[in-house]
Amino acid sequence: MDGDDVNKNGDVYYFKRAYITTCDRPHPHYKISSPRMKLVSGDSISMSNVVFSVHGIPLFYFPYFWQKLGEKKWNLSVRLGRSSRKGMFVKTKFRWSWSKNFRSYFINDYFGRLGYGKGLELDWNKARLRSNLYVYHIDEKSTGIRNMSFRQSHWQKLPAGFLWQSYLEAQDYSAFNSNYMREESAELKPTYKRSRVSLAKITRSYYLRISGYRNEVWSDSLNRYNPDNVIGPEAYFRLNPRKAKYFQHDLNYDFKRYYNTDTNS
């Protein structure tokens, strides 16, 4: 790493006409250069109008480059195995870090007896926003059936003290994760699915939440998930406890609208 006109502000360094390289020659064979570079000590490097060159010949241009220190921008994991249902399988997962707050995972699996599985996971993580999206599907070559699994979670602080939260999940049948993801210890075999959305506001005086719920239970007789408990909307209001001279009081109000369902219909 090298650059001109270095300015320091706390743990942040600003460079002009800077470059980075892993070549240890006095005159590097290859390098990534930029007219402006920002180095956050022990955290990350960011550059704009980036040029990758070899022997002084520009080969690629990037409008922006970011790299977290101590962690590679990308990672590839490969797993090999064999099972009675899937046969020989190869599972690959490629991670690409777009920034310190945003990562993507590209999933490409091969199952000898089932076919090819493909998936995508997107993960955001900021102080006021945390969100994750996961989708995976496989077209079984023996049956021609397309099976899919989907999960989405979101948490975000909104203006005026509001808070938004949601969790949604869907999959084609209860044994999906067990059949395809059994080697992943975090994966479960759910016989039910739950989805939630809520908008809340918390102040020193009160707590207000408006939300909706949808529970689905697997039905062997129907061979599908069926709605079991659906609430929408639910409104919950609570005045925080108030203490007077000789007593303390609070107020709670909870309204729910149920959509009764029959899992055997």
Side-chain angles (χ1 to χ4, degrees):
M1 178 190 302
D2 198 3
D4 301 331
D5 298 331
V6 182
N7 294 313
K8 181 182 179 183
N9 184 5
D11 292 333
V12 182
Y13 297 82
Y14 298 91
F15 296 81
K16 291 184 179 179
R17 296 176 295 278
Y19 71 85
I20 58 176
T21 180
T22 57
C23 179
D24 56 4
R25 297 291 183 89
H27 300 284
H29 293 148
Y30 55 89
K31 61 183 178 180
I32 298 176
S33 56
S34 168
R36 292 176 297 277
M37 182 176 74
K38 176 182 175 182
L39 168 64
V40 182
S41 182
D43 183 69
S44 63
I45 295 176
S46 59
M47 309 169 74
S48 58
N49 296 319
V50 182
V51 175
F52 173 69
S53 58
V54 177
H55 291 292
I57 302 175
L59 297 180
F60 300 104
Y61 168 80
F62 305 94
Y64 182 76
F65 172 85
W66 177 90
Q67 174 68 57
K68 184 173 180 62
L69 298 177
E71 180 186 49
K72 291 183 178 179
K73 194 175 184 68
W74 62 272
N75 180 66
L76 175 65
S77 62
V78 181
R79 300 187 63 181
L80 306 175
R82 181 183 180 88
S83 72
S84 58
R85 170 172 165 74
K86 293 178 286 191
M88 293 290 297
F89 63 83
V90 180
K91 303 181 69 175
T92 64
K93 193 171 187 178
F94 177 77
R95 172 184 59 80
W96 181 265
S97 299
W98 299 91
S99 71
K100 65 179 180 179
N101 303 118
F102 179 40
R103 294 180 175 183
S104 59
Y105 299 85
F106 303 92
I107 305 166
N108 193 6
D109 302 332
Y110 170 74
F111 305 100
R113 296 184 178 177
L114 299 180
Y116 287 94
K118 297 178 177 61
L120 173 67
E121 182 176 359
L122 304 176
D123 189 74
W124 292 267
N125 194 339
K126 293 184 177 181
R128 299 178 61 89
L129 185 152
R130 293 192 295 271
S131 186
N132 181 270
L133 173 67
Y134 170 88
V135 60
Y136 183 91
H137 78 88
I138 181 170
D139 298 320
E140 292 196 1
K141 64 181 182 181
S142 59
T143 63
I145 298 176
R146 181 176 186 178
N147 294 313
M148 178 175 290
S149 179
F150 169 87
R151 295 193 304 270
Q152 183 272 337
S153 61
H154 190 86
W155 176 94
Q156 184 175 359
K157 287 185 177 180
L158 300 175
F162 284 96
L163 177 66
W164 173 265
Q165 298 181 83
S166 64
Y167 179 81
L168 307 173
E169 62 178 342
Q171 62 185 37
D172 288 328
Y173 63 97
S174 64
F176 184 96
N177 287 333
S178 178
N179 287 343
Y180 304 115
M181 309 295 177
R182 189 174 298 171
E183 293 75 21
E184 306 288 343
S185 60
E187 297 295 342
L188 304 176
K189 179 182 177 181
T191 56
Y192 63 92
K193 297 185 302 180
R194 295 179 294 180
S195 297
R196 305 281 189 269
V197 293
S198 70
L199 179 66
K201 183 170 184 178
I202 305 173
T203 70
R204 297 180 60 183
S205 303
Y206 66 88
Y207 172 73
L208 171 66
R209 184 185 70 237
I210 300 174
S211 55
Y213 305 82
R214 180 182 176 91
N215 293 343
E216 297 182 55
V217 177
W218 178 258
S219 171
D220 287 328
S221 61
L222 299 175
N223 195 35
R224 72 182 187 199
Y225 283 100
N226 216 39
D228 172 61
N229 186 15
V230 181
I231 303 174
E234 178 191 19
Y236 177 80
F237 178 79
R238 183 188 73 235
L239 282 177
N240 293 331
R242 298 292 183 89
K243 188 175 182 180
K245 187 174 182 180
Y246 299 106
F247 62 92
Q248 178 174 306
H249 71 279
D250 58 12
L251 174 66
N252 292 275
Y253 176 77
D254 191 4
F255 168 82
K256 296 181 180 180
R257 181 177 181 182
Y258 290 88
Y259 293 87
N260 295 324
T261 59
D262 182 3
T263 59
N264 297 316
S265 62

